[in-house]
Amino acid sequence: MGMTITEKILAKSAKQARVSAGENVWLDVDVLMTHDVCGPPTIAIWKKEFGEKAKIWDKEKLVIFPDHYIFTKNSHANRNVDILRQFANDYDLPNYYDVGTERYKGVCHIALAEEGFNVPGTVLFGTDSHTCTSGAFGMFATGVGNTDAAFILGTGKIWEKIPETMKFTFKGKMPPYIASKDLILQILGDIGTDGATYRAMEFDGEVIDSLSMYERMTLTNMAIEAGGMNGIIAFDDTTKKYLSEIGVTEYDIFESDNDAVYHSKFNYDVAKLEPLVAKPHSPDNRDTVRNVEGTKLTKCYIGSCTGGKITDFRFAAELLFGNEVKVTTFVVPASTAVAKQLEEETLKGISLKEIFEKAGCIIAESSCAACLGGPSDTIGRSVEGDVVISTTNRNFPGRMGSKSSQVYLASPLTVTASAIRGVITDPREFL
Amino acid sequence: MENKITGKAYVLGDNIDTDQIIPAEHLVYSTSDPEELKKYGHYALSSVPIEKAGLPYGGKPFIVGENHQSEYTIVIGGTNFGCGSSREHAPLSLKVAGVKVVIAQSYARIFYRNSVDGGFLIPYESQFKLSDKIKTGDFVEVDVEENKIINHTDGKDYQLNPLGDVFEIVKAGGLFEFARTSGMI
């Protein structure tokens, strides 16, 4: 009996010839990632539990990105960054990316990719549910809490239950009005926010093959929105090219066997898909954009690990060129590298940044910002009565700030088309 | 680990996500400072829409006034309890508020792991939806040896799924205690 890509990677990490779904194993962790919200409590647990003997299992494998509550006057939030800085100094950590320095990167999941920590065939744990984003690189990546992270920090090991795998295959040619965000919203509407709980979500098919690494990351990012343990896309030439450009050349390539056992298989013809939204207050509350067209908006938001990548802004710039926004629109590049690309990349001779400025968007500094609400002075945070359309990943009550606000999730194309009209708008109106 | 846990039930619906359990804006407080820790209890379940707070009737805040502890010690949920973020502050905030057991039809993976590995509370699975059977304020007893919940208010009892593989970690009081007793660390 064959194995899936997820099973093969976990078998290697568990030092076993094979593993089967449902089995509990102890894994060797290749990278542990944490940030300003969960890093300080993780460090506190590690110090308390290991006491005088507390030792970081491998400094090279610990990666810390302050990214959540960065541009705020909130003294408690700032204290959390101070704790990370002190920890990095005390232990001389090589992979700490401090705020206010040239090393600052922005949102961890995108920075992990940019900095070469996403290595095919490896196992990455992070104190953030969207750690599953890294699975786009043919690796196992998942989120854990602070106690598990503290255990990894001291031992390099953690227990995990081998997940069953669900396979999602996309065939056909991507229409220009569909982005990978629509693909994952389609899946979420089909299986619900617990449709993949404790399972791996494997994406393949000619559509996935045609997607850039960043568009693939939109899919794996939102695996957790279906409850998935991890999202995964096999290594291919696109992965290889991305990695070689940032100097990552050593890795293990795994593929699912033809006779691998799947929990279930889903097939989609992408030509038949419509631009979609997730209506308030759940990522699986799917509807077509056409069905909610005309809904009056107070804010549009393009940002986050899900929807603040360069590919998201290319979609947005294409529609915004020569247009103005009718409603307050936030542009929040996920990383400082994306922010730099907005300045350098041009469309018809004009930089993407200038296109956004001319259109009247508010461009913020790279961080998680209002995706998860954050302290009261967070840019873009929703307030009472707001109706927001956003490229982010969650719209639970209060997620972007006020629990009385209404948040629609959509692709960067749909969000931008809606920003231009001030009401929810199908991107086909502009394409 | 206590074998019998008694107290008042607080009943919630499906898909109680971590933002409802502890809104992200409060995650700035220290989890090790005893005074700041109380904030987590105070804000526990504060983003549950009021009409869904304390079913079946709603309108019953989990925390009253400036308190950091709730009068309820057993939370009953529906499906997909704890979905959303990886914040361990979610089971922590329930614990600080005085919750010892959550009984839900199903859990999101990270919340479940965090509850067990952090030793915050016992996450039991019910065999069917108990949020339809038990009312907020009912006096209930959870028997950890018998894997059973008894509703003393109406005299009915319901079997719960055994904790299975994670029982040893729950019994030890968390992942670190488990690892120490089994000689791993």
Side-chain angles (χ1 to χ4, degrees), chain A residues 49 69 79 147-148 160, chain B residues 24 36 88 109 113 117 180:
Chain A
E49 297 290 348
Y69 304 154
R79 182 185 58 184
T147 300
D148 285 346
E160 190 57 272
Chain B
E36 280 189 45
E88 191 163 299
R109 165 183 163 268
R113 279 188 77 101
D117 284 354
R180 273 192 283 268

Side-chain angles (χ1 to χ4, degrees), chain B residues 35-164:
Chain B
E35 273 309 304
E36 280 189 45
L37 192 61
K38 290 178 183 169
K39 298 266 190 193
Y40 285 105
H42 176 66
Y43 291 114
L45 293 172
S46 62
S47 219
V48 176
I50 189 67
E51 68 277 10
K52 292 179 181 171
L55 296 176
Y57 308 111
K60 284 189 180 155
F62 179 67
I63 296 283
V64 178
E66 294 305 305
N67 291 328
H68 70 276
Q69 289 210 298
S70 175
E71 60 179 298
Y72 307 101
T73 49
I74 294 157
V75 170
I76 312 283
T79 54
N80 205 21
F81 194 93
C83 60
S85 91
S86 68
R87 66 191 69 157
E88 191 163 299
H89 313 72
L92 170 74
S93 66
L94 293 176
K95 184 198 168 169
V96 175
V99 173
K100 293 181 174 172
V101 184
V102 175
I103 300 173
Q105 211 179 345
S106 63
Y107 291 90
R109 165 183 163 268
I110 308 178
F111 179 89
Y112 186 84
R113 279 188 77 101
N114 287 345
S115 299
V116 170
D117 284 354
F120 299 113
L121 49 87
I122 306 176
Y124 258 120
E125 273 178 11
S126 58
Q127 296 177 344
F128 46 85
K129 201 180 278 290
L130 285 184
S131 47
D132 294 344
K133 311 279 179 197
I134 295 171
K135 293 184 174 66
T136 294
D138 283 359
F139 189 71
V140 297
E141 176 180 333
V142 177
D143 187 325
V144 180
E145 283 185 339
E146 301 286 327
N147 298 312
K148 202 162 76 171
I149 178 169
I150 305 150
N151 187 349
H152 289 298
T153 301
D154 66 7
K156 291 182 180 158
D157 58 67
Y158 308 96
Q159 208 61 40
L160 305 169
N161 288 339
L163 293 164

Side-chain angles (χ1 to χ4, degrees), chain A residues 17 23 36 51 63 108 111 125 135 165 174 184 235 243 287 302 353 369 416 419:
Chain A
E23 180 183 351
D36 54 300
V63 187
C108 56
F125 280 79
T165 298
M174 277 287 259
I184 192 70
F235 174 94
L243 290 172
D287 208 338
I302 310 172
K353 189 180 177 191
T416 309

Side-chain angles (χ1 to χ4, degrees), chain A residues 21-22 94 122 124 163 171 174 177-178 194 205 213 216 223 230 239 255 258 287 295 328 341 347 414:
Chain A
T122 61
L124 185 154
K171 290 197 171 129
M174 277 287 259
Y177 49 85
I178 297 288
D194 58 355
M213 290 314 293
R216 292 177 187 187
N230 65 313
T239 329
E255 282 178 358
N258 288 330
D287 208 338
T295 304
T328 310
Q341 271 175 292
L347 181 67
T414 300

Side-chain angles (χ1 to χ4, degrees), chain A residues 86-392:
Chain A
Q86 187 65 47
F87 183 66
N89 275 332
D90 289 350
Y91 292 90
D92 197 18
L93 299 181
N95 305 315
Y96 174 61
Y97 296 88
D98 203 6
V99 182
T101 73
E102 282 191 2
R103 283 175 65 76
Y104 177 67
K105 296 297 168 200
V107 184
C108 56
H109 312 296
I110 305 310
L112 278 170
E114 292 168 348
E115 294 300 301
F117 292 106
N118 289 350
V119 179
T122 61
V123 168
L124 185 154
F125 280 79
T127 59
D128 189 294
S129 62
H130 292 108
T131 303
C132 52
T133 312
S134 296
F137 288 77
M139 60 192 287
F140 177 85
T142 192
V144 285
N146 308 330
T147 300
D148 285 346
F151 195 87
I152 296 170
L153 188 58
T155 65
K157 291 182 187 299
I158 195 67
W159 71 273
E160 190 57 272
K161 188 198 262 184
I162 304 297
E164 293 181 293
T165 298
M166 299 169 83
K167 185 156 140 170
F168 301 88
T169 305
F170 287 90
K171 290 197 171 129
K173 188 174 176 290
M174 277 287 259
Y177 49 85
I178 297 288
S180 66
K181 183 64 168 283
D182 295 299
L183 310 187
I184 192 70
L185 291 178
Q186 176 71 34
I187 292 173
L188 281 161
D190 288 344
I191 68 173
T193 52
D194 58 355
T197 298
Y198 248 110
R199 299 196 191 111
M201 296 174 76
E202 186 176 317
F203 306 96
D204 75 352
E206 58 190 321
V207 173
I208 308 302
D209 296 344
S210 75
L211 296 176
S212 67
M213 290 314 293
Y214 291 117
E215 277 285 90
R216 292 177 187 187
M217 286 162 77
T218 305
L219 289 174
T220 49
N221 175 276
M222 287 186 70
I224 183 64
E225 265 43 86
M229 182 189 290
N230 65 313
I232 196 157
I233 296 170
F235 174 94
D236 67 359
D237 284 344
T238 304
T239 329
K240 188 178 174 180
K241 185 162 177 287
Y242 182 99
L243 290 172
S244 74
E245 282 169 6
I246 56 168
V248 178
T249 51
E250 281 181 38
Y251 36 75
D252 289 329
I253 301 165
F254 293 98
E255 282 178 358
S256 292
D257 293 322
N258 288 330
D259 59 345
V261 178
Y262 288 92
H263 168 274
S264 48
K265 291 180 181 177
F266 294 76
N267 290 291
Y268 295 96
D269 177 355
V270 79
K272 291 184 181 155
L273 296 186
E274 292 254 328
L276 297 170
V277 291
K279 295 185 289 187
H281 292 286
S282 184
D284 64 353
N285 194 12
R286 181 188 70 201
D287 208 338
T288 61
V289 175
R290 288 250 156 102
N291 277 346
V292 293
E293 228 170 358
T295 304
K296 219 165 174 279
L297 298 164
T298 60
K299 272 179 191 155
C300 296
Y301 191 95
I302 310 172
S304 83
C305 52
T306 322
K309 300 173 263 78
I310 188 64
T311 44
D312 300 299
F313 293 116
R314 283 179 193 144
F315 280 131
E318 209 180 305
L319 298 194
L320 274 178
F321 191 90
N323 279 311
E324 284 182 12
V325 296
K326 270 219 178 93
V327 62
T328 310
T329 299
F330 297 92
V331 163
V332 191
S335 69
T336 51
V338 174
K340 194 156 170 264
Q341 271 175 292
L342 294 188
E343 289 176 13
E344 290 168 359
E345 256 191 58
T346 57
L347 181 67
K348 298 171 199 166
I350 302 175
S351 77
L352 302 193
K353 189 180 177 191
E354 206 179 327
I355 292 171
F356 294 132
E357 283 169 346
K358 280 188 171 163
C361 301
I362 297 166
I363 304 177
E365 290 183 271
S366 303
S367 79
C368 299
C371 172
L372 77 163
S376 57
D377 59 350
T378 302
I379 192 162
R381 193 178 196 277
S382 74
V383 295
E384 207 176 323
D386 261 343
V387 183
V388 187
I389 192 162
S390 173
T391 63
T392 53

